[in-house]
Amino acid sequence: MSADPASFRDPAGRVFIENGRVFRTVNEAAVADFDYARDNDAVRKLVAAGGVIASTPVAANDADAPRVRAARIVEHPRLPFISYPYEWSFPLLKAAALHHLDLQIALLEGGVALSDATAYNIQFIGPRPIFIDPLSFIAYRDGDYWTAHRQFCEQFLNPLLLRALLGVPHNDWFRGSLEGVPTPALARLIPLGPRLSWRVLSQVILPAHLQSTEGSLGKAQATVARPLPKLAYLGMLNDLRAWIAALRPKGAAKTTWADYATNNSYAGEEAGTKHEVITRFVEVVRPKMLLDFGCNTGEYSECALKSGARSVVGFDFDQGALEGAYARAAERGLEFLPLFQDASNPSPGQGFAGVERADLARRCGEARALIALAFIHHIAIGRNAPLDRIVDWLISLAPTGVIEFVPKEDPMVQRLLALRKDIFQEYALETFLSLVARRARVAKTVQVTRAGRVMVIYDRGER
Amino acid sequence: MPATMITVILAAAAALSAMIAPAYAYIDPGTGSIILQGIIGGVAGGLFILRTYWAKVTAFFGGARKAEKAAADRGADA
């Protein structure tokens, strides 16, 4: 048994996954802080409220528990899905940032500090953030500095500012730079107007400048020798909280799909048929987890949840759609997590040794069903992906699902072809159906529009 | 006896120096972030002192005014 590939940075302990159970070991050197936080009232309250993951002591004779030297071994409940900050939309990253700050503010009063501020320590259950690493909790001593301040800025504040000040989504940058957006890089990009604001000046421009000045190491060493007043620490946390809470994406209304649900080519009857097909499909399968490819603002994710899916993870590449989907999930309390994903370039395995952050397919193992409505033409026609490999990929991700085929005659496909040569001879319903039939049973086909949109239910027969 | 005394003093000194030693974490805080916090800490400390003095000043005048008002109230009662 070896530790999870992402569990190596903090020497305080390791995470092990065995038989679908999640264990955490605590090393001798970290046991004092671990016990201190475990018995701390502020921590207990946060665990009870669901903001911090629960830790249950593991029995000595537990057969699944890791057989390694450890001072403590605890078990955590397994989360429905692991997502990464480069897959979060602006509101998800913002919710994660506020969650981190709220934790720190509540804990500092209770005498607990956080040893790090990595965004990967926050996960989502539906749209609700949860902090998953109790080994980050350490005893706070009056005068201590916020040692993870820079990490907080690089992994939360800077990516949010990138979108709020410059209108650039953080996802591509964060995926390329797994530790977030470096402060000096952001400092170079910020235009003069926002540069003059006190907050930008103090949290971005000044730290970037201070870091690069000569003799900064000596100055920093001299600084940490003086205590940081708790009042100043709390003031900084509260000010960051107020700032982040007020951040909005710049130019949010202008993305392609933001108002797709009201501005698309479907007639009401077609939407009705789609709802009906999804409802019946989900009522039969009752999946613990369903994936929704091209989830848009989550209309059909919500339909699936109402029909008996326990949780839905949605994917879309449009920021406006994802923001709408987040609002739907948060406002209606749905177990729905809408994530950024470009289907023609899904999240790869990456990080240290190429495996630290798992690729998308590896994290979809719990999915029991999928839906992909008005989806495949975007990658088949829009991105020239071969139809047979699209079918391979989708069917490999869940044992059963509903895939909508949108024919060339459809106005949406016509729009994709408007300014280019039609090189897609294989793109036809018959070909699609035969490709599906080679990999799974075609359980049902339902025509959705007169122009020829068809919903195809496949079943690999593995339930 | 003196040897034990010295041990006690040394232990106390060790404990004291441990208490004021900076708490380093497993991640590098970065020099920019630390110097910034030093500045913020200084400003906050300064503001705190100012606020304390200001509170004393307002208490002095406010207290004087309250005393006057109380005297006036007493006069009205009489």
Side-chain angles (χ1 to χ4, degrees):
Chain A
M1 194 189 296
S2 57
D4 184 85
S7 177
F8 61 85
R9 279 200 174 74
D10 185 352
R14 295 284 173 265
V15 169
F16 293 81
I17 302 194
E18 185 70 18
N19 281 335
R21 297 169 67 191
V22 183
F23 297 97
R24 189 184 296 272
T25 61
V26 182
N27 294 335
E28 206 57 61
V31 78
D33 274 324
F34 178 80
D35 288 352
Y36 172 77
R38 182 195 58 199
D39 302 332
N40 181 281
D41 276 341
V43 174
R44 283 181 173 196
K45 265 186 214 157
L46 287 163
V47 172
V52 171
I53 201 148
S55 308
T56 326
V58 168
N61 59 352
D62 193 316
D64 289 336
R67 270 174 285 279
V68 292
R69 260 178 73 121
R72 303 272 182 278
I73 301 180
V74 294
E75 183 176 3
H76 299 307
R78 199 186 171 104
L79 297 169
F81 191 82
I82 296 295
S83 64
Y84 300 132
Y86 45 89
E87 297 167 334
W88 301 343
S89 58
F90 183 89
L92 280 175
L93 181 62
K94 180 170 154 175
L98 294 177
H99 190 66
H100 179 95
L101 290 173
D102 285 341
L103 277 186
Q104 277 218 65
I105 293 165
L107 290 173
L108 203 60
E109 294 292 359
V112 179
L114 269 81
S115 66
D116 46 31
T118 165
Y120 300 89
N121 272 349
I122 307 249
Q123 287 298 323
F124 286 93
I125 300 177
R128 298 178 309 282
I130 180 168
F131 187 85
I132 61 161
D133 182 12
L135 287 183
S136 294
F137 300 146
I138 51 173
Y140 168 74
R141 302 175 314 170
D142 224 359
D144 279 353
Y145 277 71
W146 181 9
T147 44
H149 168 258
R150 178 176 70 167
Q151 195 176 35
F152 179 84
C153 291
E154 293 187 342
Q155 303 208 7
F156 293 102
L157 178 68
N158 298 353
L160 288 170
L161 290 179
L162 197 62
R163 182 82 190 284
L165 299 178
L166 300 157
V168 177
H170 69 274
N171 307 77
D172 294 346
W173 193 332
F174 215 133
R175 173 163 147 181
S177 166
L178 295 178
E179 299 297 311
V181 177
T183 303
L186 183 68
R188 280 166 173 266
L189 293 172
I190 293 178
L192 187 64
R195 247 186 146 76
L196 299 175
S197 97
W198 159 249
R199 279 163 163 167
V200 171
L201 204 63
S202 64
Q203 294 294 339
V204 185
I205 311 296
L206 197 57
H209 172 73
L210 291 170
Q211 195 175 317
S212 65
T213 50
E214 214 177 304
S216 69
L217 187 59
K219 272 186 211 153
Q221 281 172 323
T223 304
V224 282
R226 295 191 303 271
L228 174 71
K230 191 178 179 183
L231 200 75
Y233 196 155
L234 270 173
M236 190 160 51
L237 292 172
N238 280 310
D239 192 55
L240 275 170
R241 201 205 181 281
W243 187 16
I244 290 173
L247 291 179
R248 301 276 176 273
K250 190 181 175 185
K254 289 176 193 152
T255 67
T256 330
W257 300 90
D259 50 2
Y260 182 74
T262 52
N263 191 22
N264 57 26
S265 67
Y266 313 147
E269 201 185 317
E270 295 163 25
T273 310
K274 279 188 169 187
H275 273 273
E276 224 169 274
V277 172
I278 297 302
T279 302
R280 289 222 191 111
F281 167 73
V282 172
E283 277 174 356
V284 173
V285 179
R286 301 217 149 250
K288 201 168 109 187
M289 187 203 284
L290 177 140
L291 307 175
D292 182 354
F293 284 88
C295 68
N296 196 11
T297 61
E299 187 183 346
Y300 296 101
S301 295
E302 186 174 5
C303 172
L305 286 165
K306 285 188 174 148
S307 312
R310 230 183 294 163
S311 75
V312 174
V313 178
F315 305 106
D316 211 294
F317 72 102
D318 184 81
Q319 298 291 344
L322 288 170
E323 282 150 27
Y326 171 81
R328 183 193 295 267
E331 282 161 22
R332 301 182 188 174
L334 305 175
E335 292 299 313
F336 170 41
L337 177 59
L339 296 172
F340 175 83
Q341 204 67 242
D342 177 350
S344 66
N345 185 14
S347 299
Q350 55 175 351
F352 175 62
V355 292
E356 182 187 1
R357 305 295 166 208
D359 68 29
L360 180 68
R362 255 190 62 195
R363 287 175 285 138
C364 289
E366 297 291 304
R368 289 292 159 267
L370 69 78
I371 58 175
L373 307 184
F375 169 73
I376 57 170
H377 60 289
H378 288 291
I379 35 177
I381 309 259
R383 305 297 283 270
N384 293 22
L387 196 58
D388 60 333
R389 287 168 63 190
I390 297 172
V391 171
D392 267 345
W393 179 62
L394 278 176
I395 290 181
S396 75
L397 291 172
T400 180
V402 184
I403 306 174
E404 182 181 21
F405 184 81
V406 182
K408 264 189 209 166
E409 297 72 32
D410 190 278
M412 286 299 176
V413 178
Q414 282 302 311
R415 227 160 85 177
L416 291 173
L417 288 170
L419 294 174
R420 57 187 299 202
K421 195 172 154 191
D422 180 0
I423 51 159
F424 307 99
Q425 300 318 315
E426 55 157 8
Y427 190 83
L429 178 63
E430 298 70 48
T431 325
F432 176 70
L433 285 173
S434 74
L435 290 171
V436 174
R438 247 183 264 167
R439 291 150 180 96
R441 186 171 63 88
V442 178
K444 198 175 176 185
T445 60
V446 182
Q447 181 146 352
V448 186
T449 66
R450 252 179 264 154
R453 285 192 173 209
V454 173
M455 289 167 92
V456 178
I457 300 183
Y458 77 83
D459 192 340
R460 294 195 321 226
E462 303 166 9
R463 260 165 304 125
Chain B
M1 270 313 226
T4 352
M5 285 268 278
I6 289 164
T7 319
V8 168
I9 290 165
L10 278 179
L16 210 65
S17 67
M19 276 166 75
I20 52 170
Y24 288 126
Y26 78 95
I27 53 167
D28 186 348
T31 57
S33 160
I34 290 295
I35 302 169
L36 173 82
Q37 290 183 62
I39 296 169
I40 291 175
V43 172
L47 285 176
F48 185 72
I49 292 164
L50 278 180
R51 198 155 50 171
T52 315
Y53 273 103
W54 186 245
K56 276 184 186 168
V57 170
T58 49
F60 177 76
F61 284 107
R65 231 176 281 133
K66 254 183 227 158
E68 267 168 40
K69 193 173 180 287
D73 286 350
R74 269 199 304 276
D77 284 345

